[in-house]
């Protein structure tokens, strides 16, 4: 568990970042109606940061590749010393493919949506990209590789050129047209001349020209499904996560976590099972699960009660008992009807070195140190201004929205989404007052206010909780703007090595850099 101290080991905290708009893909025009199948449901950078994948509710996976680093060599520190300014990350469309199709489970009379729930990149090999994608029931392992394009040469060639069958065209055909028609047809003018002036010789036509297939230097990415992992989950899959060993991965639903080998699609091992003997005794479900980034024997999963369990695969084959439990206890006086609903964790992420875990529930972000299970080291308020509106949010089911979270590669900042297509960025270093609200648009800072949110430290020296970002006005967002619960930013990802964020607003993919 000796992870890095990336989340605030230094007292010198960095200055707040100046976020700027970089790119947008799939931007909709004013008044344009968004199709349900085009709404983005998953975003993921690969470990190198050179590729980005998105999945949508129509079961499609779209890949983007970075273009600004093709001709860049040397370390970032070396480039900073040159006279040329560093360019922000720029991506371009690479390819897309249909990952999942709608299905129907006839045994349970259940429709299975094609919506992509999660995408996870696997290790690259031989210049090919590998990734896992899943809907509610089926996980697929994809290989994307550039293939050289094959072309068909012209059938009618000059006499000086060698034909596909090795023969040379006769001089009588040297003036023939170079036009190539479907199925080897000839233009009408040639047909007329043949019918009027040409008669078939008794010995037949001496030369038969065949089209020649050649391989060009151009390449095109081709996606191929290598494995399909199915029939292992009775409930909807909410998480998949690759292991650092490069050979295995986990998939989690509401009650079970299964361990798979990438090469074996017809067998998995159940490592966590929280299903009680009597379903009436069920008190919590699994909401998210993720492998430790460096230790292949460790993984964490969160629950609907707001707790995170760290388990060690070396302890037993069935990890019903956890090695560590992380939970933030509330005072009984603050409990209400909505307490358990808003405490449910929707997403967890390990920091790059594995020392810290970031969790997101409906109201806030929490940062946990895996070496300290007494409470979170930092807490960041995201939706505290919505607490008076919990009844309304419960009525329209918005209280059950699943917001994702992410950490920067250096571990100095965290981010998560909110309503009105807003997302928040917080600094996690001790003493940092960084609390930035951005909008998923070409002008991300237009919702900003000049007065920063100030931290208030907890009286408990044990938990060292820092609470930031709370708004005072109950009916508005963190910057005094009225919120729109119909436009929500659920999915976002932080570039692994640079301060760049990709986020999804409906069917549009926005990218920002600092």
């Amino acid at each position: 568990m000796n992870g890095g101290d990336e989340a605030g080991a230094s007292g010198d905290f960095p200055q707040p970042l100046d976020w700027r708009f970089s790119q947008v893909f799939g931007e909709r025009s004013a008044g344009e109606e968004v199709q349900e199948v085009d709404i983005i449901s998953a975003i993921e950078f690969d470990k190198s940061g050179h590729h980005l994948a998105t999945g949508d509710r129509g079961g499609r996976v779209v890949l983007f590749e970075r273009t600004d680093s093709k001709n860049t060599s040397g370390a970032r520190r070396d480039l900073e010393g040159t006279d040329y300014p560093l360019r922000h990350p720029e991506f371009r469309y690479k390819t897309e493919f249909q990952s999942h199709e709608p299905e129907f489970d006839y045994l349970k009379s259940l429709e299975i949506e094609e919506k992509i729930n999660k995408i996870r990149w696997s290790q690259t090999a031989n210049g090919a990209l590998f990734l896992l994608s899943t809907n509610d029931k089926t996980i697929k392992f994809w290989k994307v590789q550039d293939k050289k394009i094959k072309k068909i040469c012209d059938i009618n060639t000059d006499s000086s050129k060698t034909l596909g069958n090795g023969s040379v065209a006769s001089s009588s055909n040297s003036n023939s047209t170079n036009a190539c028609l479907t199925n080897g047809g000839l233009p009408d003018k040639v047909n007329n001349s043949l019918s009027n002036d040409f008669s078939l010789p008794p010995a037949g036509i001496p030369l038969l020209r065949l089209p020649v297939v050649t391989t060009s230097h151009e390449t095109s990415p081709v996606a191929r499904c290598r494995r399909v992992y199915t029939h292992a989950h009775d409930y909807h899959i909410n998480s998949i996560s690759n292991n650092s060993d490069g050979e295995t991965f986990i998939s989690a639903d509401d009650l079970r976590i299964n361990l798979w080998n990438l090469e074996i699609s017809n067998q998995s091992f159940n490592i966590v099972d929280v299903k009680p003997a009597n379903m009436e005794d069920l008190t919590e479900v699994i909401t998210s699960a993720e492998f430790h980034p460096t230790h292949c024997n460790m993984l964490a999963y969160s629950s609907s009660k707001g707790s995170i369990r760290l388990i060690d695969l070396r302890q037993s084959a069935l990890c019903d008992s956890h090695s560590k439990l992380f939970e933030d206890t509330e005072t009984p006086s603050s409990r209400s009807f909505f307490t358990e609903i808003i405490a449910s964790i929707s997403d967890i992420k390990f920091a790059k070195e594995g020392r810290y875990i970031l969790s997101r529930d409906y109201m806030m972000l929490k940062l946990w140190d895996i070496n300290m299970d007494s409470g979170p080291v930092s807490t960041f308020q995201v939706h505290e201004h919505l607490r008076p509106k919990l009844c309304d949010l419960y009525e329209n089911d918005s209280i059950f929205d699943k917001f994702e979270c992410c950490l920067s590669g250096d571990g100095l900042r965290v981010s998560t989404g909110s309503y009105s297509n807003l997302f928040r960025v917080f600094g996690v270093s001790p003493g940092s007052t960084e609390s930035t609200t951005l909008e998923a648009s070409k002008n991300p800072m237009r919702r900003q206010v000049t007065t920063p949110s100030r931290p208030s430290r907890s009286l408990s020296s044990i938990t060292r909780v820092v609470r930031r970002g709370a708004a005072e006005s109950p009916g508005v967002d963190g910057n005094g703007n009225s919120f729109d619960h119909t436009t929500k930013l659920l999915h976002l990802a932080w570039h692994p090595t640079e301060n760049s964020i990709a986020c999804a607003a409906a069917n549009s993919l926005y990218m920002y850099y600092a």
Side-chain angles (χ1 to χ4, degrees):
M1 293 185 186
N2 296 324
D5 294 334
E6 69 274 14
S10 171
D12 298 330
F13 53 88
Q15 294 298 317
L17 296 177
D18 179 21
W19 290 95
R20 301 178 183 180
F21 170 77
S22 174
Q23 290 174 281
V24 58
F25 296 94
E27 183 183 23
R28 52 177 170 154
S29 57
E32 181 183 355
E33 186 176 350
V34 178
Q35 299 296 321
E36 180 79 11
V37 294
D38 294 331
I39 297 178
I40 297 174
S41 57
I43 302 179
E44 184 79 4
F45 281 103
D46 70 344
K47 287 186 177 181
S48 68
H50 293 313
H51 294 91
L52 173 67
T54 65
D56 61 28
R57 296 187 181 182
R60 293 163 298 191
V61 173
V62 183
L63 303 185
F64 302 88
E65 63 179 354
R66 188 166 176 174
T67 59
D68 63 298
S69 60
K70 296 279 186 181
N71 300 322
T72 301
S73 59
R76 181 184 179 93
R77 185 174 299 176
D78 298 334
L79 292 171
E80 288 175 347
T82 64
D83 296 332
Y84 301 97
L86 282 173
R87 299 178 62 190
H88 64 271
E90 291 182 357
F91 286 80
R92 69 180 178 189
Y93 170 86
K94 181 178 178 69
T95 188
E96 67 179 274
F97 55 89
Q98 189 70 32
S99 174
H100 288 73
E101 300 281 356
E103 301 176 27
F104 188 82
D105 189 336
Y106 292 96
L107 293 177
K108 299 181 179 179
S109 296
L110 181 68
E111 290 185 3
I112 303 173
E113 292 182 333
E114 65 270 33
K115 171 193 166 190
I116 304 297
N117 290 341
K118 295 290 181 181
I119 296 176
R120 290 292 180 266
W121 290 91
S122 299
Q123 295 180 358
T124 59
N126 299 324
L129 304 174
F130 295 89
L131 52 88
L132 290 165
S133 63
T134 183
N135 63 354
D136 288 338
K137 295 292 184 180
T138 305
I139 308 166
K140 294 186 179 182
F141 186 48
W142 292 91
K143 176 182 179 181
V144 181
Q145 190 172 27
D146 288 337
K147 297 287 187 181
K148 290 186 176 180
I149 300 175
K150 293 183 178 181
K151 293 183 177 180
I152 299 177
C153 291
D154 294 336
I155 296 177
N156 301 314
T157 59
D158 296 335
S159 59
S160 60
K161 296 181 180 180
T162 304
L163 297 179
N165 56 7
S167 302
V168 178
S170 62
S171 58
S172 61
N173 294 324
S174 60
N175 295 325
S176 62
T177 180
N178 287 328
C180 182
L181 299 182
T182 307
N183 298 327
L186 294 175
D188 294 338
K189 182 178 180 181
V190 179
N191 283 332
N192 292 335
S193 62
L194 285 176
S195 60
N196 297 331
D197 306 328
F198 177 77
S199 60
L200 189 67
I205 299 177
L207 182 62
L208 177 63
R209 296 194 185 100
L210 296 177
V212 180
V213 179
T214 61
T215 303
S216 68
H217 296 289
E218 300 177 15
T219 59
S220 176
V222 177
R224 186 165 63 92
C225 185
R226 294 287 304 274
R227 301 278 189 279
V228 178
Y229 314 91
T230 187
H231 304 306
H233 289 279
D234 292 330
Y235 303 92
H236 291 176
I237 299 173
N238 55 49
S239 302
I240 52 175
S241 178
N242 281 304
N243 198 345
S244 59
D245 62 9
E247 297 180 357
T248 56
F249 71 94
I250 56 170
S251 59
D253 63 20
D254 291 343
L255 299 180
R256 292 186 177 92
I257 300 178
N258 294 331
L259 178 68
W260 301 82
N261 188 297
L262 284 169
E263 300 299 323
I264 303 174
S265 60
N266 59 357
Q267 185 181 35
S268 65
F269 296 94
N270 178 228
I271 56 175
V272 175
D273 189 349
V274 300
K275 183 179 181 180
N278 185 359
M279 286 296 286
E280 294 181 357
D281 298 331
L282 182 66
T283 58
E284 63 180 335
V285 296
I286 299 169
T287 57
S288 183
E290 183 163 298
F291 260 119
H292 191 280
T294 57
H295 298 314
C296 62
N297 57 286
M298 294 177 59
L299 62 96
Y301 69 92
S302 59
S303 78
S304 57
K305 278 194 169 182
S307 61
I308 301 174
R309 290 173 172 83
L310 194 67
I311 61 177
D312 193 334
L313 297 176
R314 298 172 297 184
Q315 290 182 345
S316 62
L318 186 61
C319 303
D320 286 336
S321 59
H322 52 268
S323 58
K324 281 195 174 183
L325 174 65
F326 306 94
E327 57 183 352
D328 193 9
T329 56
E330 286 196 21
T331 57
S333 59
S334 63
R335 293 186 62 85
S336 68
F337 172 78
F338 304 108
T339 298
E340 289 194 5
I341 299 176
I342 61 177
S344 177
I345 296 176
S346 56
D347 191 25
I348 60 171
K349 291 286 194 309
F350 273 100
K352 187 175 182 180
E353 301 299 329
R355 170 74 181 271
Y356 296 90
I357 300 175
L358 180 68
S359 67
R360 170 68 203 264
D361 57 38
Y362 188 75
M363 302 300 290
M364 64 188 73
L365 281 171
K366 294 178 182 178
L367 189 68
W368 308 79
D369 187 339
I370 64 174
N371 295 331
M372 189 183 77
D373 53 6
S374 57
V377 295
S378 295
T379 302
F380 309 96
Q381 301 289 353
V382 181
H383 282 164
E384 187 62 28
H385 58 282
L386 297 181
R387 193 174 292 273
K389 292 182 172 294
L390 291 180
C391 287
D392 297 334
L393 295 168
Y394 178 78
E395 290 293 330
N396 58 36
D397 287 341
S398 294
I399 199 172
F400 301 105
D401 288 334
K402 308 296 183 184
F403 291 93
E404 294 181 359
C405 59
C406 59
L407 299 96
S408 61
D410 55 15
L412 297 178
R413 294 172 181 85
V414 297
S415 182
T416 189
S418 181
Y419 294 106
S420 303
N421 283 341
L422 301 178
F423 64 100
R424 310 289 300 277
V425 178
F426 300 97
V428 301
S429 302
S432 173
T433 60
E434 182 174 0
S435 174
T436 308
T437 301
L438 302 142
E439 182 184 28
S441 67
K442 288 186 176 181
N443 183 14
M445 305 296 287
R446 71 176 183 173
R447 296 283 187 122
Q448 270 297 329
V449 290
T450 56
T451 305
S453 301
R454 296 199 173 273
S456 59
R457 292 193 176 275
S458 169
L459 296 177
S460 172
S461 60
I462 300 178
T463 58
R464 308 196 309 276
V465 174
V466 181
R467 300 182 182 271
R468 292 204 298 279
E472 296 181 358
S473 179
V476 297
D477 61 23
N479 284 326
N481 301 289
S482 59
F483 77 97
D484 179 9
H485 67 84
T486 61
T487 56
K488 57 196 75 173
L489 198 151
L490 302 176
H491 312 285
L492 76 171
W494 200 302
H495 192 280
T497 60
E498 301 182 18
N499 287 322
S500 176
I501 293 179
C503 55
N507 65 324
S508 302
L509 176 66
Y510 287 90
M511 304 191 71
Y512 304 92
Y513 73 99

